[in-house]
Amino acid sequence: MESVTVARKQSPTGATEAPATSSAPTNADAREETDGFHLLIDALKLNGIDTIFGLPGIPITDLTRKAQAAGLRVVSFRHEQNAGYAASIAGFLTQKPGICLTVSAPGFLNGLTALANATTNCFPMILISGSSEREIVDLQQGDYEEMDQLAIAKPLAKAAFRVLHAEDIGIGVARAIRAAVSGRPGGVYLDLPAKLFPQAMDAEAGRQSLIKVVDPAPRQIPAPEAVKRALDLLSNAKRPLIILGKGAAYAQADADIRALIEKTGIPYLPMAMAKGLLPDTHEQSAAAARSYVLPEADVVMLIGARLNWLLAHGKGKTWGGKSAKAWGGQKFVQVDISPIEADSNVRIDAPVVGDIGSCVKAMLDRIGANWPKPPSDWLSAIGERKSRNVAKMADTLAKNPTPMNFQSALNVVRDIVKANPDAYLVNEGANALDFTRSIVDMYKPRKRLDVGTWGVMGIGMGFCVAAAVVGNEQVIAIEGDSAFGFSGMELETICRYKLPVCIVILNNNGVYRGDETNWAGDVDGDPSPLVFVKNARYEKVIEAFGGVGLYATTPDELRKGMEEAVRSRKPTLINAVIDEKAGTESGRITSLNPTAKKT
Ligand code: OXT
Ligand code: ADP
Ligand code: MG
C-alpha cells in the first residue's frame, strides 16, 4: 500500500496532527487517513503504554519524533542494550510490558541481550525493531542493515511476531502485550519492516483495527486440592521455611504475602530482588541464617522463586545433601504460574499453579486461628544463628580501615537507604553486589533491582533511568568499577533528563580486585586482564555532562556526598575509593569458577 498525502491527519484516538508529508492535498475531499507510524503509536497509547526506551535511526527516527509529539515519553539512550534493560525493569516495576525501540540489524542485536535477559528473568518487555525489506532480506540481496531479525529473536524471546500490513498493527501490538504479561512474563519481539510505517489507510478503518487488550494477564486461580495439599504439608512441618523470589515481588500481592508469613509464623528467606517485600528487619526474616536454614528445613515453600543455581538447584551440600548432587531430604511446595516449573530440579511434592496473588489469597482463606505455629526450637535455633551473624556483621561494619573496604563504605549506604526507604537501589558487580545484598537492608517491595538470574553486568545505568522515570523516586546505584563500565556512557542520558540518580562506584581498580599482576610475570608487560587504570577518576565523566562528581576516600566523605545527592536530587557520581586488595574472586560465587580450587 502506498503512502497517501492528506491535508490533516486524525489519529484513531482523535488527536489532530500536522501532515506527515510536505506536499499539498490533491483534492479538497481527501478522506482522513492514518499510517503505520500513527497506528503503532495509537495502539500503544490505547493499551496504557506511556513510555518508550530506545535509540533513533533508520527506519524508526520519525517514529521517535512522532511518538513524542503524540504525548508518549520517549527516553533516548546512547546504546540499545541499556534502553532494553530499562524497558525490562520498567516491566518488572509496573506489570506493563516495557517498550524498547531499536533500528535494524546492529541496533536490534544490541537490544537482544536485554530481551533475552528479560525472558530469563520473567520480566515483561517488548523489543520493537525496525527492519529491512522482506523481499531483499529473504533473497539475501544485501539491503541496508539486512538481517532476518525475526528468526534470530525467536529462540531468545517468549514470542516473536512480524507485521507486514498497517491494518495488522493493532493485532501485532495486542499479541505482543498478551504474550509479554500473561502467564510467566517474558520478552517479546515485534518486527516492523521499514515499509510498514508510511503505509496509509482510512483513519476510521485504522481505528477499528486497533485492540484494547482486555484482561492482558488473566488471574489463574489455583485448584483447591493443590492448595489443601500444600497447606497440609506445611502445617505438619517441624522446620518449615518460605522462600520469596522476584516472582513474588513482581506479583504486587505485598499485603497478602506479608499476612501469609505473619499468620503462619514461618521464617522466610528473600531472594535478592525480593528483599524488602517484607522489611529486611522483620523478625521472621532468616536472611542472616541462610546457610543454616537451607539444609535444616524439612518443608520449603517457594513463592515465585526457581530452584536454579541461585538456590543450588535444591540439592547438594547447600541443602544438607551428602554429596554435590544428593537430595537433602526436604519436601517442597512450589507456588508458580508456570505449570512446568515443578520438578525441574528436584521433586516438588505440592505444586500450586496459579498467579501468586490468587494462590496466596487461597491459602490465607484456609488458614485459621488454629494454624500450628512452627515449633519453638526451630525458631530459636534460627534466632541464635541470626544474632551471631548480625553481631559479626555489626563488628565488621564498625571498623574504619584506611583505605575504605566494601563494608565500611556500605555501612554508609545502609544508613542512607534506611533514611530513604522509597529510594530504588540498583546494584551490580561481584563483591560490590554480594556485600551490598547482605549489608544494605531494604524496607519496601520492588526497590532492590540487580543482576538477576544471569548475574549479568551492564544493567546499571539502564535500570537507573527506568527506575527514575517510571518509579519517580530517588535512585541509588551501587556499582563495581567494572560493572559500571558496561553502561557508563548513559551518565549523559541521566544528566540530559535530569534524573535523581546517585551512583556510587566502589572502585577497587578492577574486576574482583585491583592488585593483580599479569601471570607472565612481566612487570613491563600488559596489565593483568582483571585490572584497570589505577585510581581512575570516574567522577570526572559525569562532570563532562553537567552532573556532580565527587571523590570519596573516607566513609564521612561518602556520607556527605550521598546526603547531598539525595537532598539536591541532582545526577551525582561518587567515586568511592576501596582498598584494591579487598575483593575476592567472583565475590561469593568463587566456587563456580572451574579452576577456583586449583589456583
Ligand atoms: O549464612 P552464612 O553464614 O553463609 O552468611 C550469609 C548470610 O547468612 C549473611 N547475611 C547476613 N548477616 C548479617 N546480617 C544480615 N542482614 C545478613 N544477611 C545475610 O551473609 C552471608 C551471605 O548471604 P547471602 O548473600 O544471602 O548468601 P550467599 O551464600 O552468598 O547466597 C548465595 C547466592 C548464590 C544466592 C548469592 O551469592 C547470590 O545471589 N549471588 C549472585 C552472584 C552474582 O550474580 N554475581 C554476579 C556475577 S559475577 C561474574 O560473573 C562477573 N563478571 C563476568 C561478566 C558478567 N557477569 N556479565 C557480563 C555481561 N560479562 C561478564 C564480571 C565482569 S562480576 C564482573 C565484574 C566484577 O568487578 P566489579 O568491579 O564490578 O566488582 P568488584 O567485585 O566489586 O570488583
Ligand atoms: P528469584 O531469582 O528471585 O529466585 P526467579 O526469577 O528464579 O526468582 O523465579 C521467579 C518465578 O516467579 C518464575 O518461576 C515465574 O514463573 C514466577 N512468576 C512470575 N510472576 C508470577 C506471578 N504473577 N504469579 C506466579 N508466579 C510468577
Ligand atoms: Mg571492582
Side-chain angles (χ1 to χ4, degrees):
M1 199 189 299
E2 287 295 296
S3 160
V4 180
T5 307
V6 292
R8 304 289 298 177
K9 281 191 169 164
Q10 189 163 40
S11 74
T13 46
T16 305
E17 293 167 25
T21 50
S22 54
S23 31
T26 48
N27 114 33
D29 298 327
R31 286 182 314 158
E32 281 186 321
E33 293 199 328
T34 186
D35 60 18
F37 286 115
H38 294 88
L39 285 164
L40 178 62
I41 293 164
D42 291 332
L44 295 174
K45 286 174 77 174
L46 187 63
N47 284 288
I49 285 165
D50 51 16
T51 307
I52 293 177
F53 303 95
L55 201 160
I58 298 168
I60 50 107
T61 316
D62 272 354
L63 180 60
T64 60
R65 294 184 177 120
K66 287 170 196 263
Q68 190 175 49
L72 284 165
R73 184 139 199 222
V74 180
V75 183
S76 188
F77 281 72
R78 305 299 295 261
H79 190 289
E80 291 88 350
Q81 187 175 106
N82 306 317
Y85 285 138
S88 69
I89 208 68
F92 171 75
L93 291 172
T94 62
Q95 294 184 328
K96 282 194 288 187
I99 307 292
C100 174
L101 180 63
T102 75
V103 303
S104 23
F108 156 79
L109 286 173
N110 284 346
L112 204 53
T113 311
L115 184 75
N117 188 62
T119 307
T120 301
N121 281 278
C122 317
F123 297 156
M125 146 178 191
I126 304 175
L127 174 66
I128 302 179
S129 291
S131 60
S132 308
E133 300 318 331
R134 294 306 321 151
E135 52 273 47
I136 304 181
V137 174
D138 289 348
L139 278 170
Q140 297 172 34
Q141 293 175 308
D143 201 0
Y144 169 73
E145 295 190 348
E146 174 180 302
M147 176 171 278
D148 188 357
Q149 297 172 195
L150 187 69
I152 289 166
K154 262 184 189 161
L156 302 174
K158 186 179 168 194
F161 306 100
R162 176 184 291 132
V163 180
L164 292 178
H165 303 291
E167 60 266 36
D168 292 331
I169 287 176
I171 301 270
V173 169
R175 300 213 71 189
I177 290 173
R178 276 199 188 282
V181 297
S182 62
R184 172 183 277 177
V188 175
Y189 177 59
L190 189 60
D191 191 84
L192 303 181
K195 264 195 201 164
L196 181 74
F197 297 111
Q199 275 183 24
M201 68 182 287
D202 174 70
E204 179 53 28
R207 195 186 343 258
Q208 291 298 330
S209 73
L210 300 186
I211 294 175
K212 182 166 170 41
V213 177
V214 176
D215 196 11
R219 289 196 314 152
Q220 294 188 25
I221 315 289
E225 61 275 19
V227 174
K228 182 175 179 311
R229 193 189 298 125
L231 291 181
D232 285 350
L233 196 55
L234 215 50
S235 60
N236 286 311
K238 300 263 176 308
R239 297 179 304 282
L241 176 71
I242 293 176
I243 298 183
L244 299 174
K246 62 170 117 67
Y250 174 78
Q252 298 196 13
D254 311 335
D256 278 353
I257 289 174
R258 185 172 184 150
L260 179 73
I261 303 263
E262 291 181 344
K263 267 186 154 182
T264 58
I266 298 176
Y268 73 94
L269 201 57
M271 300 299 287
M273 282 180 60
K275 275 168 71 75
L277 193 41
L278 284 80
D280 279 339
T281 46
H282 195 284
E283 61 166 1
Q284 283 173 253
S285 168
R290 188 180 199 273
S291 60
Y292 173 72
V293 290
L294 292 182
E296 291 297 325
D298 63 348
V299 177
V300 179
M301 176 157 77
L302 302 151
I303 306 183
R306 287 170 285 187
L307 283 174
N308 57 14
W309 71 279
L310 288 157
L311 282 170
H313 304 280
K315 56 194 167 192
K317 295 195 171 154
T318 305
W319 291 86
K322 296 234 164 2
S323 62
K325 289 200 167 174
W327 176 49
Q330 289 80 5
K331 299 224 181 263
F332 286 97
V333 177
Q334 185 158 33
V335 181
D336 205 290
I337 202 152
S338 166
I340 58 167
E341 184 55 38
D343 305 331
S344 56
N345 285 275
V346 294
R347 177 190 309 117
I348 300 298
D349 304 273
V352 182
V353 176
D355 70 276
I356 285 168
S358 301
C359 295
V360 170
K361 174 94 182 38
M363 289 187 183
L364 276 175
D365 288 347
R366 283 175 175 264
I367 294 172
N370 58 349
W371 175 269
K373 289 279 154 74
S376 57
D377 56 342
W378 173 231
L379 301 182
S380 58
I382 296 174
E384 229 171 80
R385 292 323 186 281
K386 262 177 78 173
S387 326
R388 222 179 289 157
N389 260 350
V390 168
K392 204 164 82 188
M393 182 181 291
D395 279 354
T396 321
L397 295 182
K399 292 188 180 129
N400 189 3
T402 307
M404 278 192 288
N405 61 11
F406 288 98
Q407 294 95 326
S408 62
L410 287 166
N411 188 33
V412 172
V413 178
R414 176 182 161 101
D415 291 346
I416 303 283
V417 170
K418 185 174 182 186
N420 299 278
D422 287 314
Y424 288 95
L425 182 76
V426 172
N427 188 200
E428 61 178 336
N431 296 281
L433 174 87
D434 293 342
F435 280 113
T436 305
R437 190 179 56 248
S438 56
I439 292 173
V440 179
D441 289 330
M442 304 305 298
Y443 300 87
K444 298 212 173 169
R446 292 171 296 285
K447 292 296 185 183
R448 188 188 150 85
L449 310 174
D450 72 20
V451 299
T453 305
W454 267 350
V456 68
M457 298 299 111
I459 47 90
M461 298 305 105
F463 278 17
C464 286
V465 171
V469 166
V470 305
N472 215 13
E473 292 286 352
Q474 175 70 43
V475 181
I476 295 168
I478 305 301
E479 300 275 310
D481 50 332
S482 163
F484 170 73
F486 286 71
S487 64
M489 191 45 90
E490 302 301 343
L491 285 182
E492 189 277 332
T493 311
I494 288 167
C495 291
R496 185 167 16 110
Y497 291 97
K498 302 184 177 60
L499 300 176
V501 177
C502 170
I503 299 139
V504 176
I505 298 185
L506 298 179
N507 184 2
N508 64 351
N509 294 341
V511 177
Y512 312 138
R513 44 197 287 153
D515 60 342
E516 193 169 279
T517 51
N518 70 44
W519 284 13
D522 177 1
V523 285
D524 297 321
D526 284 345
S528 153
L530 285 94
V531 304
F532 299 141
V533 166
K534 300 255 182 232
N535 196 25
R537 301 302 295 258
Y538 292 101
E539 76 279 12
K540 307 258 181 230
V541 185
I542 199 167
E543 287 172 3
F545 306 118
V548 178
L550 299 170
Y551 184 69
T553 58
T554 65
D556 277 350
E557 288 169 355
L558 178 57
R559 189 180 301 274
K560 282 199 190 90
M562 289 190 78
E563 281 172 352
E564 179 53 21
V566 171
R567 195 201 57 73
S568 71
R569 291 174 71 84
K570 285 189 185 148
T572 301
L573 187 152
I574 307 177
N575 184 358
V577 180
I578 302 292
D579 183 354
E580 66 174 11
K581 301 184 184 67
T584 55
E585 179 96 13
S586 306
R588 294 220 13 123
I589 55 172
T590 313
S591 59
L592 296 186
N593 187 336
T595 57
K597 289 178 193 75
K598 291 179 223 149
T599 56

